[in-house]
Amino acid sequence: MNKLLQEYFGFDQVEIKKLNGYDNENYKVKTSSNSYIFKTYLYTKEMYDLVEAENATLLFLKENNQKNIPDPFPFKDGSFIKVLDVNGKKSICRMLSFLEGKFIGDVTVSEKMLESLGVFLAEIDLKFQNFDNYVLKSRKWEWDIQYLNLNKDYIQDIPDAKDRSIVTYFFQQFEEYVTPVLPDLEKSVIHNDANEWNVLIEGDEVCGIIDFGDLAYSPRINELAIAITYACYDKENGLDWALPILKAYHTILPIKENEIEILYYLIAARLCTSVCNSAHAKKENPNNEYASVSEKSAWNMLYNILKINPIKAESAFRAELGFDVKQPLPIEKALDRRYNHISSILSVSYDTPIYMDRSAFQYMYDVYGNTFLDAYNNIPHVGHSHPKVVKAGQKQMAKLNTNTRYVYDLLSEYAEKLLSKFPSSLDTVYFVNSGSAASDLAIRLAKNHTKQEKLMVMEHGYHGNTQTAIDISDYKFNNPKGQGQKEYVLKTVIPDTYKGKYTQNDGTAGKMYAQEAIEQIKESEIPIAAFITEPIVGCGGQVPLAKGYLKEIYPAIRQQGGVCISDEVQTGFGRLGEYFWGYEAQEVVPDIVIVGKPMANGHPMGAVITTSKIAESFGKGVEFFSSFGGNPVSCAIASSVLDVIEEEKLQENAKEVGNYYKSLFLELKEKFDCIGDVRGSGLFLGVEIVEENTKEPDTALAHLIKNELRNQYILISTDGPYDNVLKTKPPLIFTKENAKVVVTKIAHVLETHKSIKAVKA
């Protein structure tokens, strides 16, 4: 290297230090009077053209009085670029002046620094408006945000499935919100990499910027998106730190409204580009630490940005720049509009209803910019807007959607996939479009097979909204406004080990409750066609059936010719953690299983799974047909849900996080006498709120907790015969951090309530 520098630059005595580089080799060269950076790149024609374009850019800026940037330093013959042999490699070589100073990554960042950065970038970008370069205009590469999709292949290099899903989600959001407006954005050459290790600082002022190797002809707003990303990604409340950069830039070079509308997604896109390339570089060259230097911060910000409602981000940007903040319809008017055409019998949740706009994983976003942590909705099983599920639906919808009178592979493929999750005896499936329809069909199957009409149901049970489902749902027919219990329905007592007659949940209570139910079976004047129950009775207050209960009941039902139905609409698909299906906890195998709700992550789908023997009986009757049951789109979506559960190990997550979540509630129970019981398993939990030191329901306090949490942007609900049981059934991607937030907030509500109660006393 010394010989090369002497021959081509006339440098005699120099100090040489190799520098870190992403994909090229750079050297700091120090002479007696100056410092330089000698940059080398493996030769390709394309790279030569890019280096030439970068030099042209630097020379242009120099001619336009731009200070504090690297200056191209000529070879002896006056040229700025040469192709030379460097360490045995054909290399493109150039020399630049070396800028001394501290990097912004080395100091504690202040608001004034960020304002200075905004001004500095705006001043350069102003000059770039008069610069044109055909090589940069034709450059398409993965570090230019507008070409985000060039990074798509790198997503698979990210080792963790959940991380891959987050990145894929933001890719989809980019396609939805950014891609359509790209042609309307103002473009120019931009620096394209104002990160914390390229920006130099002196005091509180930006004094220089280096590394123009990422130059791009791109929407100008990308310059800001990149600068904001790297200025904020290691900060709490990161997007707050974006505001001084934005405002300062705006004073020099005005930002347009259409740019502000997509800035949130551009920041997310840059983070995705960073983590994708880090993962790819790590795979290709595990020893290149420089390539993943910012990876941890990028991941932290990517997960944190999910917690920020995009509407809130846009509103903050608008307010800072003096644009009108978009005003959504007030909730009162939105409700009035709803009730113009929708009956008020279709109720809404919470004292103050929520006007939702969009959602992502365990977060829901309202139209006013608030983000809600969803600890309640068990239907988006693998997470709201999960990208794999979304893609499966979009792709199949664009290809084929029809009914089951036609032959298509997805029906058979999904049937096989679903049935593989059951014992071999449960080998036949009927697809419908809801859990309610599945309950209705299950009863038809049972009656047809047994030639009997009588049904045994569980106290407080709920099985859907069809007439048949309501007739077998104590939760509905026993309501003061309900239709009452039908003659053919036999109701048995819920085997509740907290408030019931028998409380020893070691198998003793289960046997005692079962014995009473068996006596009812024996006393029935006509045989029972079917016994239907949920393994955990949701509307009963998340009450798990006492241990061993079904193990006693099922043989008794079968002995007198009936069949056993397990309603897994809420408890199935791994939600309980330890078990994929709730009936497994009772060590039994039902004759018919009902599934729905989470089966297709919110897409309307349900199914009845049964034995070939029962199916054969049903097959001798009137033809069964469901217009939408098992259609290709539903099958594609439901299949993707099973894939996500497996890929992201969500059953395991439900077990681990659920155990932790439950332990937090049990700790809370020790502190507050108003918590009577904590029950359930996995991410299907109930917390019974009672009058202190009694088992009497405290419905008012349960409602207070639910609504106070809603006011603090956490969603849970209440249920049970007295509506005094807090129920939490979050998407299976729920984390321990999320669980801690929920329980901490509940503790705060209870502490406040206790203090107020004490003052009143």
Side-chain angles (χ1 to χ4, degrees):
M1 183 62 70
N2 282 287
K3 186 178 179 182
L4 185 149
L5 294 175
Q6 200 283 327
E7 180 179 352
Y8 289 101
F9 294 97
F11 294 165
D12 288 325
Q13 293 184 334
V14 295
E15 293 179 21
I16 301 171
K17 179 184 178 183
K18 189 173 182 180
L19 303 175
N20 290 325
Y22 191 83
D23 54 9
N24 59 313
E25 294 184 355
N26 303 322
Y27 302 86
K28 183 179 179 182
V29 177
K30 189 173 182 181
T31 68
S32 57
S33 55
N34 290 302
S35 293
Y36 304 90
I37 179 167
F38 184 61
K39 299 180 73 71
T40 70
Y41 316 77
L42 288 177
Y43 177 83
T44 65
K45 179 63 171 68
E46 180 183 313
M47 180 57 73
Y48 187 93
D49 291 343
L50 285 171
V51 172
E52 198 168 49
E54 183 184 337
N55 261 19
T57 304
L58 292 170
L59 291 169
F60 166 82
L61 289 174
K62 187 176 180 180
E63 289 166 7
N64 284 270
N65 302 312
Q66 179 65 47
K67 298 177 181 177
N68 305 321
I69 61 170
D71 290 332
F73 186 82
F75 288 80
K76 277 183 180 180
D77 61 6
S79 64
F80 288 101
I81 304 172
K82 282 191 180 297
V83 178
L84 303 171
D85 183 290
V86 179
N87 299 326
K89 301 174 185 175
K90 184 179 181 182
S91 303
I92 304 161
C93 302
R94 59 200 285 245
M95 187 77 78
L96 300 174
S97 62
F98 187 89
L99 297 189
E100 300 287 352
K102 287 184 178 178
F103 290 112
I104 208 168
D106 289 324
V107 300
T108 301
V109 175
S110 67
E111 185 175 324
K112 190 174 179 183
M113 280 183 204
L114 298 181
E115 290 171 353
S116 176
L117 177 60
V119 169
F120 188 90
L121 291 174
E123 288 175 345
I124 287 183
D125 287 347
L126 263 177
K127 294 183 173 72
F128 276 145
Q129 288 185 317
N130 298 312
F131 178 65
D132 194 24
N133 185 281
Y134 76 91
V135 173
L136 296 179
K137 278 187 172 180
S138 65
R139 188 182 197 187
K140 294 182 180 180
W141 73 314
E142 60 267 22
W143 284 98
D144 184 349
I145 292 176
Q146 66 182 318
Y147 301 121
L148 175 67
N149 277 340
L150 294 177
N151 295 283
K152 195 170 278 187
D153 288 344
Y154 298 163
I155 296 175
Q156 293 309 311
D157 295 335
I158 298 170
D160 182 77
K162 186 177 178 182
D163 289 344
R164 290 197 299 271
S165 293
I166 299 292
V167 170
T168 306
Y169 165 80
F170 279 116
F171 269 71
Q172 287 181 352
Q173 298 301 296
F174 187 91
E175 283 295 315
E176 179 70 21
Y177 294 102
V178 179
T179 299
V181 302
L182 281 175
D184 303 323
L185 301 176
E186 292 192 3
K187 283 186 164 187
S188 70
V189 171
I190 60 173
H191 178 275
N192 199 45
D193 196 21
N195 70 52
E196 74 275 38
W197 304 112
N198 283 340
V199 177
L200 294 163
I201 201 85
E202 188 174 305
D204 281 330
E205 296 291 325
V206 171
C207 65
I209 191 166
I210 63 169
D211 195 352
F212 283 69
D214 283 10
L215 283 167
Y217 181 77
S218 190
R220 194 164 54 239
I221 188 64
N222 289 345
E223 187 86 280
L224 274 170
I226 292 161
I228 287 167
T229 299
Y230 293 110
C232 301
Y233 71 170
D234 60 346
K235 308 287 191 303
E236 289 292 324
N237 304 315
L239 288 186
D240 291 345
W241 290 82
L243 302 181
I245 304 175
L246 272 178
K247 190 170 184 178
Y249 188 100
H250 186 64
T251 59
I252 306 296
L253 188 53
I255 300 164
K256 303 287 182 65
E257 275 193 83
N258 63 348
E259 295 173 324
I260 287 301
E261 288 172 352
I262 60 169
L263 183 55
Y264 170 94
Y265 298 105
L266 296 175
I267 293 167
R270 181 61 175 202
L271 291 164
C272 289
T273 300
S274 177
V275 297
C276 282
N277 279 273
S278 291
H280 182 65
K282 205 181 285 185
K283 180 182 176 183
E284 295 295 308
N285 183 5
N287 297 320
N288 187 350
E289 295 180 6
Y290 180 81
S292 56
V293 66
S294 59
E295 185 178 18
K296 185 178 179 181
S297 293
W299 277 118
N300 285 341
M301 187 175 184
L302 202 54
Y303 272 88
N304 285 333
I305 209 172
L306 265 182
K307 301 175 187 176
I308 300 170
N309 187 326
I311 294 172
K312 180 178 182 179
E314 183 185 338
S315 296
F317 299 154
R318 284 176 167 274
E320 189 71 12
L321 302 184
F323 291 117
D324 289 336
V325 175
K326 296 174 183 176
Q327 297 299 327
L329 201 66
I331 185 64
E332 296 79 14
K333 290 188 176 180
L335 285 169
D336 288 343
R337 183 184 178 195
R338 174 186 173 108
Y339 294 134
N340 278 340
H341 305 289
I342 306 295
S343 169
S344 60
I345 201 168
L346 185 67
S347 62
V348 292
S349 297
Y350 306 105
D351 292 345
T352 304
I354 306 170
Y355 190 177
M356 288 299 185
D357 180 70
R358 63 190 82 172
S359 56
F361 299 98
Q362 67 267 56
Y363 302 105
M364 300 186 76
Y365 310 123
D366 75 5
V367 298
Y368 308 111
N370 301 305
T371 299
F372 293 84
L373 174 61
D374 186 1
Y376 170 30
N377 288 286
N378 60 325
I379 297 175
H381 195 63
V382 299
H384 293 276
S385 306
H386 193 287
K388 186 156 191 163
V389 178
V390 171
K391 183 180 177 182
Q394 290 174 333
K395 186 177 179 182
Q396 187 57 41
M397 200 175 294
K399 183 180 180 183
L400 172 71
N401 199 18
T402 186
N403 63 57
T404 49
R405 293 196 191 279
Y406 300 97
V407 179
Y408 46 87
D409 290 337
L410 273 167
L411 183 66
S412 302
E413 288 170 358
Y414 179 61
E416 291 166 3
K417 202 170 188 176
L418 178 63
L419 291 173
S420 72
K421 298 293 184 181
F422 289 94
S424 58
S425 61
L426 294 167
D427 57 6
T428 305
V429 59
Y430 298 87
F431 292 117
V432 290
N433 54 287
S434 71
S436 297
S439 293
D440 196 288
L441 178 57
I443 298 304
R444 281 178 62 193
L445 285 165
K447 288 181 176 182
N448 188 84
H449 181 68
T450 63
K451 308 305 179 187
Q452 300 297 334
E453 293 291 322
K454 195 164 189 178
L455 301 169
M456 186 172 178
V457 303
M458 181 59 67
E459 182 185 18
H460 306 312
Y462 174 68
H463 304 287
N465 59 23
T466 66
Q467 186 58 59
T468 296
I470 290 170
D471 288 348
I472 62 171
S473 297
D474 180 45
Y475 178 73
K476 289 292 186 182
F477 68 65
N478 199 37
N479 186 285
K481 297 179 182 179
Q483 299 172 350
Q485 186 172 334
K486 296 288 192 291
E487 288 184 5
Y488 65 85
V489 172
L490 174 66
K491 182 172 73 172
T492 193
V493 173
I494 187 170
D496 181 353
T497 57
Y498 171 59
K499 293 180 73 173
K501 187 191 299 186
Y502 310 112
T503 57
Q504 286 182 290
N505 200 19
D506 57 359
T508 305
K511 285 185 179 181
M512 298 295 285
Y513 279 117
Q515 193 55 49
E516 291 188 357
I518 291 168
E519 287 302 314
Q520 288 180 277
I521 295 169
K522 289 178 179 177
E523 291 170 6
S524 178
E525 294 179 358
I526 58 175
I528 293 168
F531 169 52
I532 182 170
T533 186
E534 307 154 85
I536 298 180
V537 185
C539 291
Q542 312 288 90
V543 179
L545 303 181
K547 184 178 179 182
Y549 177 75
L550 292 184
K551 209 168 185 180
E552 302 289 326
I553 293 278
Y554 273 20
I557 290 291
R558 288 167 176 155
Q559 189 174 8
Q560 50 89 69
V563 297
C564 304
I565 305 173
S566 185
D567 183 339
E568 299 282 347
V569 169
Q570 293 201 73
T571 53
F573 293 94
R575 173 163 293 281
L576 301 186
E578 187 74 36
Y579 307 102
F580 201 80
W581 307 112
Y583 65 77
E584 295 174 309
Q586 291 278 323
E587 299 179 337
V588 295
V589 176
D591 304 298
I592 300 174
V593 176
I594 300 165
V595 294
K597 284 189 190 295
M599 183 178 187
N601 217 51
H603 179 81
M605 192 178 189
V608 176
I609 297 92
T610 189
T611 66
S612 55
K613 188 175 181 181
I614 294 173
E616 185 180 345
S617 299
F618 190 61
K620 294 174 183 176
V622 177
E623 176 201 28
F624 166 75
F625 178 68
S626 171
S627 295
F628 301 111
N631 70 75
V633 172
S634 296
C635 288
I637 291 173
S639 181
S640 73
V641 169
L642 288 178
D643 289 342
V644 174
I645 292 170
E646 185 173 338
E647 289 166 5
E648 298 188 15
K649 296 181 172 57
L650 293 185
Q651 183 180 350
E652 292 89 334
N653 189 69
K655 180 180 178 181
E656 183 179 347
V657 175
N659 287 343
Y660 175 72
Y661 201 12
K662 190 173 183 178
S663 74
L664 295 178
F665 278 123
L666 288 169
E667 288 175 11
L668 207 62
K669 181 177 180 293
E670 295 300 311
K671 297 177 183 177
F672 296 97
D673 293 334
C674 62
I675 297 178
D677 192 30
V678 176
R679 53 183 176 255
S681 62
L683 290 174
F684 193 90
L685 301 178
V687 179
E688 183 141 355
I689 305 300
V690 296
E691 298 284 353
E692 289 186 11
N693 300 313
T694 76
K695 290 187 178 182
E696 293 301 309
D698 194 336
T699 303
L701 179 55
H703 279 220
L704 174 72
I705 296 167
K706 174 179 73 174
N707 284 288
E708 281 300 310
L709 287 187
R710 175 257 176 269
N711 295 336
Q712 296 179 56
Y713 312 111
I714 294 172
L715 305 181
I716 63 165
S717 190
T718 52
D719 218 329
Y722 303 98
D723 207 25
N724 69 310
V725 179
L726 304 178
K727 63 177 180 180
T728 175
K729 306 173 291 182
L732 296 198
I733 39 69
F734 213 63
T735 67
K736 289 182 178 179
E737 177 194 2
N738 298 150
K740 183 73 173 176
V741 168
V742 174
V743 178
T744 300
K745 293 289 186 183
I746 291 175
H748 179 70
V749 172
L750 292 177
E751 288 284 5
T752 303
H753 174 72
K754 193 174 181 180
S755 299
I756 293 171
K757 200 173 176 182
V759 169
K760 286 182 178 179

